[in-house]
Amino acid sequence: MIKVAMLSFWHVHARDYAKQVTEHKDTEIVAVWDEIPERGQAEASQRGVAFYTDLAELLANKDIDGVVVDTPTNMHRDVMVAAAKAGKHIFTEKVIAPTLHEVNEILDAVNEAGVTLTVSLPRLNPTYTLAVQEIIEKELLGQITLVRTRLSHNGGISTDVNPKGWLPEHFYNAEQCGGGALIDLGCHPMYLTRLFLGLPESVSASYGYVTGREVEDNAVATLQYANGALGIVEAGFVNAHSPFVIEVHGTEGSVLYSDHDGRVLVRTRKNADAGWTAYENGPKERPSAFDQWVAHIQNGTKATENIQLAVDLTKLMEASNRSAGSKQQVRIDSLAQ
């Protein structure tokens, strides 16, 4: 049994991860730490486990094998470096850290300690993502010229029940979050665009502030590639009924996915007369990122692809933030290592 400590319940998905730990046959929660003691004590009491006010004391406990990190994003570097140096395996909410420099510090500590790191990038694993990948790999679309991905919700919109929207107020804290809609929601379409197109040369981003918070609640990032291809990433907290969308367009065809109907549709020159056709019998869904983390610990393997995509995600987010702030295009190779 892998004994796991929950490090903070700051993130909106922290309880979801706690549920995964509890429900997995090979893991159990044995301790909680939180930068807000009252919140952490309540979560620990609810689960009947020890609460630590001192993170160093928790990490010194040799009975704890791994940690789930759901702290504010600006704390990721310090918390994960400390966890790695203490020999704890790490499962973390995206992003690894707000800047490439901090990510590299974390990875250095992880590699030196020989612990397993896995990042929650959940939309890598569903059948629709794997089907789109398979279509691209079969070269049914020819040369890929444009990828557009969109993920948005109504978390920032005022309602009678939630006058300030249902997202917790700290999700609009620029210092803690490292951004708004793009780094929170846009991370998913961003790593999917990276998956389908690779890492771009440069990024241009524009942010909107519909609700007047200090972070953006409406965002678009454009990724530019040396071969002329473009990636368009869209995210927002201010859309009532915006479906999650993937579009991949190439010189020979296109593939579309939208969760309004849950179908992967493809049309190519070869089947143009048939119109848009549902892509069926594609790959089966992969295990969740958490399940993959557990398997890596048990098998002594590393989440190599997951970590590379997560590193590139931070590069793209850091470049996007810099671009929106400077109103200029930012090259990926200009980021501080």
Side-chain angles (χ1 to χ4, degrees):
M1 187 66 71
I2 298 170
K3 299 184 187 316
V4 175
M6 299 296 299
L7 302 189
S8 180
F9 281 82
W10 173 86
H11 202 280
V12 292
H13 294 312
R15 290 184 181 87
D16 297 327
Y17 297 130
K19 186 171 184 286
Q20 290 188 59
V21 178
T22 301
E23 292 181 350
H24 196 290
K25 65 181 180 63
D26 296 328
T27 58
E28 63 176 332
I29 297 173
V30 297
V32 172
W33 169 86
D34 200 299
E35 74 279 3
I36 298 179
E38 296 79 11
R39 180 176 62 198
Q41 182 65 70
E43 294 289 346
S45 297
Q46 179 183 332
R47 292 167 172 79
V49 301
F51 173 70
Y52 288 76
T53 56
D54 185 344
L55 178 59
E57 183 183 355
L58 181 151
L59 294 176
N61 185 338
K62 297 187 182 304
D63 291 332
I64 295 173
D65 303 304
V67 297
V68 175
V69 178
D70 282 303
T71 66
T73 306
N74 67 325
M75 296 180 66
H76 276 198
R77 183 265 173 203
D78 290 347
V79 169
M80 283 194 266
V81 167
K85 288 183 176 180
K88 310 305 182 189
H89 302 294
I90 303 167
F91 181 81
T92 183
E93 177 60 271
K94 45 66 186 167
V95 292
I96 300 178
T99 68
L100 177 60
H101 181 72
E102 291 172 280
V103 166
N104 285 335
E105 289 182 311
I106 292 168
L107 293 183
D108 285 346
V110 164
N111 292 333
E112 184 174 346
V115 297
T116 294
L117 169 68
T118 304
V119 185
S120 181
L121 305 176
R123 290 179 188 262
L124 293 176
N125 305 313
T127 55
Y128 57 77
T129 297
L130 302 177
V132 172
Q133 270 190 286
E134 186 171 88
I135 290 166
I136 293 171
E137 289 168 359
K138 288 181 176 179
E139 300 183 348
L140 299 179
L141 309 182
Q143 179 184 342
I144 306 304
T145 55
L146 187 140
V147 173
R148 173 181 173 254
T149 50
R150 175 173 181 79
L151 183 60
S152 185
H153 61 48
N154 61 352
I157 298 175
S158 176
T159 65
D160 292 339
V161 177
N162 297 295
K164 293 185 177 181
W166 55 260
L167 271 180
E169 196 61 29
H170 62 250
F171 261 56
Y172 303 105
N173 184 304
E175 181 181 2
Q176 290 185 14
C177 300
L182 194 68
I183 201 168
D184 176 50
L185 272 185
C187 62
H188 301 292
M190 188 70 86
Y191 64 68
L192 289 177
T193 301
R194 155 64 182 86
L195 179 71
F196 301 144
L197 264 182
L199 194 65
E201 284 192 331
S202 59
V203 176
S204 299
S206 296
Y207 293 170
Y209 300 81
V210 176
T211 61
R213 263 81 170 210
E214 67 174 339
V215 297
E216 82 282 357
D217 50 26
N218 208 17
V220 176
T222 303
L223 285 53
Q224 291 91 20
Y225 292 80
N227 67 352
L230 296 171
I232 302 169
V233 174
E234 305 169 6
F237 295 155
V238 287
N239 300 280
H241 300 291
S242 177
F244 169 59
V245 172
I246 298 172
E247 301 178 15
V248 181
H249 305 282
T251 54
E252 297 293 323
S254 296
V255 58
L256 309 176
Y257 172 80
S258 172
D259 64 7
H260 86 275
D261 64 4
R263 295 193 301 164
V264 175
L265 300 174
V266 63
R267 186 173 187 180
T268 70
R269 284 188 180 181
K270 292 181 180 179
N271 74 344
D273 293 341
W276 290 97
T277 304
Y279 190 78
E280 299 174 337
N281 302 317
K284 294 182 180 179
E285 182 171 278
R286 293 194 300 198
S288 72
F290 179 81
D291 289 344
Q292 291 177 37
W293 179 59
V294 174
H296 283 305
I297 294 172
Q298 293 172 329
N299 298 324
T301 53
K302 301 297 181 186
T304 305
E305 181 186 17
N306 169 274
I307 293 172
Q308 186 57 63
L309 286 167
V311 171
D312 289 349
L313 174 61
T314 286
K315 293 178 183 178
L316 293 165
M317 287 299 165
E318 183 180 2
S320 295
N321 284 340
R322 286 178 52 188
S323 173
S326 66
K327 301 188 185 308
Q328 294 180 341
Q329 188 179 79
V330 173
R331 289 186 59 88
I332 297 297
D333 60 14
S334 72
L335 303 177
Q337 296 290 320

